[in-house]
Amino acid sequence: MPDNTRPDAPKPGSSGEQQQQQDNEVKDKERTDGPKKELWDLFEDFQEVGVFLPGFYGEPSKRLAHESLMRLVKTSEDMALAHEIAVNADFELKTPSEVESEDTLHSAVRRTMHTAYWNMVQEELSREPPSFVMAMKILNDVKKAFTVLLRGNNDRTLAKLNEVLDEATIQQQVELGTLDIRGITSYVIELMGKACCMDRDEEVATLKKQTDIVAILRGILETLANMKTDMANYVLHVTRQQVVRSSIAYEKAKFYELKEVSGDNFARTLMWLQRHVPVHTGDPAEQEKPANSEQKTTGQDAAGNNVGMKEIPPPIATAYVALLDSSTKEKDFPELLKLDEGRMHQMRIEALRLSVCATVLQLTVSVIPALVNQPDKRQKLTDRLIVLFDGCYSKQSILEQLEGMWAFVLKNIDEQQPLDTPQATALKYQIGQIATGDSAVHGIISNRLRTLLVAGLIDGDNVPIPGCYQTLRPKVLELTSKLVRITKHNYAVYGDYYAFLINELRRLTPAKESSSA
């Protein structure tokens, strides 16, 4: 009970008593919950939790320091960029305005900031007398941009440019009130017209017609940014073969940097190899070609240039092709192929499309034997099937497309073909089995495609196309080429590490067998 007899004791119901009760409640809460933490304290506590990497080969988990985590992220990003340049034939640099969607927050902020900046330039130039502080900075940026664009055998042009855009000279002209900024911008635009590629001629022509000085300065900077992007893309194009070779060495180096931080924590890669590569000593498949074979073969980069790469051994080739199986799950995808997961998914869908098309064609020929001697009709039907399945980008959409396929096929062969014959009923049933996964024919034809792709990884171009895929030959060769390009690059980078993992599996397997015995 509180002592209310003291002279200084607050009277019941007074504000003093209420304050004392609140103070007591706070003290009680602090005794039970501890002092209240600020947001920054909570963030520091979160940092103290850290990230732990799981152990490998029986090793304990280890804590990953914040600095190591940042280094790991940076290394991964660098590897991804180098890899994308090497394997993506369509890779090109783009300006932010080309990449971003107009309705994104980032794009809106960028536009707002740019508008605010150029409003400030407008305000400076509209003063009496005009201020050229920001304009001088813009002209200095223009000079730096041309230094990049005109490097090489353009010393005389650069000397003239530096003379026109000399900062001290411009400052002196500003002080004397003799600066002819329109004359300077006209010279710059004229030089841009000589240095730009044909795609930028229209932008330069628009600048020449512009009369507002702020719009001219803004247009100059934007066009110069586009010109630098064009130049970078041109350099990438002409040096792609060298880039691919450098990328392999670079990715290798970055991977070992990554491994220093993460260790051998690639569990899905290990399981993937374990499923497809023989690990038992004395296995015939093992003796056929060692996993760390140093034989060289000719691969191709994204642009189709020949590049010497390590030859892929059959077990590894089989493992690569197995990733194109439509039953492959994301959680089973190996970490060391993660950079190509999107491309592998596209090829997986393409492989399913090809196998389904080939199966439908074979089933149709079995129902209408006359098609055996009508190659033109078979090719025409194949082309229509390709068009029909080209819009399918998932396994489900491909299987859904099979609904009513039997009628589509029969009517494409002969519009007068009745749909109530025993042959039509049989075709409907057999095509329906593809959708349910019960088609033995589809299983055989899919297996032939996998065999073809494995042979393509091992033997290159000397691979015969099975009869069931003859009408699909261009598509099959295109798929094979894509797979060869990606897997050759992957094996060139990680082949030695795959060999290490396989050797570890072989070393550990006998121990497991003896312990279980």
Side-chain angles (χ1 to χ4, degrees):
M1 291 288 293
D3 184 8
N4 295 325
T5 61
R6 292 182 294 106
D8 59 341
K11 296 181 180 180
S14 66
S15 59
E17 184 182 29
Q18 293 175 357
Q19 180 64 38
Q20 186 174 1
Q21 288 177 349
Q22 291 175 0
D23 292 342
N24 291 336
E25 289 175 1
V26 170
K27 290 178 181 178
D28 291 341
K29 187 170 182 61
E30 287 182 351
R31 280 195 298 270
T32 55
D33 298 341
K36 185 178 180 181
K37 294 190 175 184
E38 299 294 335
L39 180 61
W40 181 253
D41 297 327
L42 295 174
F43 177 72
E44 288 183 340
D45 288 347
F46 174 76
Q47 283 189 313
E48 290 176 3
V49 173
V51 177
F52 287 84
L53 292 175
F56 194 71
Y57 295 135
E59 296 178 357
S61 301
K62 67 174 182 178
R63 187 179 187 277
L64 192 62
H66 180 71
E67 295 77 11
S68 298
L69 180 61
M70 292 298 100
R71 183 155 61 94
L72 187 145
V73 171
K74 180 67 168 63
T75 301
S76 300
E77 289 175 347
D78 291 344
M79 284 181 67
L81 178 59
H83 183 80
E84 193 67 23
I85 293 172
V87 303
N88 185 359
D90 299 322
F91 178 86
E92 63 176 12
L93 300 172
K94 294 183 179 180
T95 59
S97 59
E98 293 175 315
V99 175
E100 294 176 1
S101 173
E102 290 297 319
D103 56 355
T104 62
L105 176 61
H106 189 277
S107 178
V109 171
R110 182 175 58 81
R111 288 197 306 271
T112 302
M113 296 298 291
H114 282 197
T115 301
Y117 175 82
W118 290 109
N119 285 343
M120 290 174 64
V121 176
Q122 179 73 61
E123 190 271 331
E124 277 197 353
L125 294 176
S126 300
R127 294 176 188 172
E128 286 296 338
S131 172
F132 294 97
V133 175
M134 297 184 74
M136 288 178 64
K137 292 180 180 179
I138 292 170
L139 293 177
N140 192 46
D141 290 340
V142 170
K143 183 167 67 171
K144 290 178 181 178
F146 271 112
T147 303
V148 174
L149 291 169
L150 299 179
R151 64 176 59 180
N153 300 321
N154 296 291
D155 295 340
R156 187 178 301 176
T157 305
L158 275 175
K160 175 64 175 175
L161 177 74
N162 290 331
E163 181 183 336
V164 173
L165 298 180
D166 180 66
E167 193 171 354
T169 303
I170 293 176
Q171 180 63 44
Q172 186 178 13
Q173 291 173 348
V174 169
E175 293 172 356
L176 296 174
T178 59
L179 178 64
D180 181 13
I181 193 167
R182 290 188 180 275
I184 293 175
T185 55
S186 296
Y187 169 78
V188 169
I189 294 171
E190 196 67 33
L191 186 57
M192 288 168 61
K194 296 176 182 178
C196 71
C197 65
M198 293 177 62
D199 291 344
R200 304 300 171 191
D201 285 345
E202 187 176 345
E203 295 178 35
V204 174
T206 303
L207 278 175
K208 289 180 179 180
K209 298 175 184 177
Q210 186 61 256
T211 56
D212 180 65
I213 189 62
V214 175
I216 291 173
L217 291 172
R218 182 171 187 171
I220 287 174
L221 285 187
E222 290 176 351
T223 304
L224 283 174
N226 292 337
M227 289 170 62
K228 286 194 287 185
T229 303
D230 295 337
M231 181 180 178
N233 285 326
Y234 172 74
V235 171
L236 277 176
H237 175 73
V238 298
T239 61
R240 181 170 290 280
Q241 190 168 352
Q242 183 181 349
V243 167
V244 172
R245 291 196 183 97
S246 302
S247 171
I248 292 171
Y250 180 79
E251 286 185 60
K252 266 188 176 182
K254 287 295 179 182
F255 170 66
Y256 283 104
E257 283 183 25
L258 189 69
K259 209 161 75 70
E260 286 179 6
V261 177
S262 64
D264 294 312
N265 288 281
F266 304 101
R268 285 183 287 180
T269 301
L270 187 66
M271 289 188 291
W272 167 63
L273 292 172
Q274 198 168 13
R275 284 195 299 269
H276 302 286
V277 179
V279 296
H280 300 290
T281 306
D283 193 295
E286 173 195 341
Q287 296 174 358
E288 182 181 351
K289 189 171 291 185
N292 58 349
S293 170
E294 291 298 328
Q295 288 181 282
K296 300 287 182 178
T297 186
T298 300
Q300 287 189 335
D301 66 3
N305 301 312
N306 291 330
V307 180
M309 294 184 180
K310 292 169 65 173
E311 186 175 340
I312 301 177
I316 301 292
T318 303
Y320 280 130
V321 173
L323 294 174
L324 299 187
D325 192 288
S326 59
S327 62
T328 302
K329 298 178 181 177
E330 184 179 351
K331 64 182 181 65
D332 297 328
F333 202 84
E335 299 93 342
L336 300 187
L337 273 157
K338 201 70 178 175
L339 295 177
D340 292 308
E341 186 173 12
R343 281 178 279 268
M344 294 295 284
H345 174 73
Q346 292 174 358
M347 288 189 288
R348 188 181 305 137
I349 297 302
E350 179 63 17
L352 181 60
R353 281 198 293 247
L354 291 175
S355 64
V356 168
C357 283
T359 304
V360 170
L361 191 64
Q362 287 298 303
L363 292 174
T364 305
V365 171
S366 67
V367 170
I368 308 175
L371 285 175
V372 174
N373 300 318
Q374 296 176 321
D376 292 342
K377 274 195 173 183
R378 291 203 312 274
Q379 188 62 57
K380 185 178 180 181
L381 176 59
T382 301
D383 294 341
R384 290 184 176 179
L385 288 174
I386 290 173
V387 172
L388 197 63
F389 283 106
D390 264 351
C392 302
Y393 299 104
S394 67
K395 179 179 179 180
Q396 182 179 354
S397 61
I398 291 173
L399 299 181
E400 287 175 353
Q401 194 69 266
L402 291 171
E403 184 72 28
M405 178 65 67
W406 62 279
F408 171 83
V409 168
L410 292 176
K411 287 299 181 182
N412 269 274
I413 294 172
D414 183 1
E415 291 186 359
Q416 305 302 320
Q417 179 80 26
L419 300 180
D420 55 355
T421 62
Q423 291 86 351
T425 303
L427 184 61
K428 179 180 179 180
Y429 174 74
Q430 291 173 340
I431 291 179
Q433 283 187 311
I434 302 175
T436 59
D438 299 324
S439 175
V441 177
H442 183 233
I444 294 170
I445 290 179
S446 297
N447 188 55
R448 287 181 181 174
L449 180 60
R450 286 192 290 269
T451 303
L452 181 152
L453 293 173
V454 170
L457 296 186
I458 299 170
D459 300 326
D461 298 330
N462 305 317
V463 180
I465 305 294
C468 56
Y469 286 101
Q470 281 298 330
T471 55
L472 292 160
R473 184 183 183 87
K475 290 285 186 180
V476 170
L477 292 177
E478 182 183 353
L479 175 63
T480 306
S481 176
K482 288 179 183 177
L483 183 64
V484 167
R485 183 168 65 243
I486 289 172
T487 54
K488 289 280 187 183
H489 188 94
N490 180 268
Y491 192 72
V493 175
Y494 301 110
D496 294 337
Y497 187 66
Y498 291 154
F500 163 76
L501 291 179
I502 292 167
N503 289 334
E504 286 298 307
L505 286 171
R506 288 171 180 164
R507 182 177 63 82
L508 295 174
T509 299
K512 289 181 180 179
E513 289 176 349
S514 60
S515 63
S516 61

